[in-house]
Amino acid sequence: MDERARRPLPWQGEWPVIGAVAVGGALGATARYGAGLLWPTADTAFPWTTLVINVVGCALMGVLMVLIAEVWTAHRLLRPFLGTGILGGFTTFSTHAVDIERLVSAGRLPLALAYLAGTLLAALAAVALAGAATRALLGLRRPA
């Protein structure tokens, strides 16, 4: 028998993880969609809702990573469910790109560039600050 015929496919045995990501993603995307309905943004206005969603999602990711990497021994499905699923579905960098394109198309290039840079900087800062705050609240030292 050929070696390749006996080798399992890469995704075999991963159905629980795939299911956790799918369920979490559906929940996160639903929450993001709901936020967009509650706080809509006009095409030529600064996309505050998308910015807040992405920054909040990144902050929550910072908290989650400290908790599951430094505090808990997490179940193997927790990170795929919460991180990749819920927070991955909640944050929306594809909408971020669409928002930039809309602003550029409306002739608001300076605002589009500010939004582009501001979102990336705010998202990175949110992860770092939330992780540091979580460590401080729990009395943890940053791993070396």
Side-chain angles (χ1 to χ4, degrees), residues 1-142:
M1 182 180 254
D2 185 354
E3 173 71 23
R4 286 176 285 160
R6 286 184 276 151
R7 194 175 335 149
L9 296 171
W11 52 266
Q12 285 183 329
E14 293 297 318
W15 288 111
V17 176
I18 293 168
V21 170
V23 170
L27 294 171
T30 301
R32 175 187 20 133
Y33 184 76
L37 291 177
L38 287 171
W39 302 289
T41 302
D43 285 348
T44 60
F46 189 87
W48 286 107
T49 302
T50 304
L51 175 68
V52 169
I53 286 169
N54 286 332
V55 171
V56 167
C58 287
L60 292 172
M61 185 60 77
V63 172
L64 174 66
M65 294 314 297
V66 169
L67 293 177
I68 66 173
E70 301 173 35
V71 177
W72 304 329
T73 302
H75 186 279
R76 74 180 193 97
L77 298 179
L78 187 65
R79 184 175 179 174
F81 175 70
L82 292 176
T84 306
I86 290 180
L87 295 176
F90 182 66
T91 56
T92 176
F93 287 92
S94 58
T95 301
H96 174 250
V98 171
D99 289 340
I100 292 166
E101 189 277 325
R102 284 185 188 148
L103 291 169
V104 169
S105 294
R108 306 208 58 199
L109 184 59
L111 186 60
L113 292 173
Y115 175 58
L116 171 67
T119 296
L120 295 176
L121 292 173
L124 290 171
V127 170
L129 292 173
T134 302
R135 281 186 199 93
L137 286 171
L138 298 176
L140 302 174
R141 292 178 186 237
R142 181 164 178 90

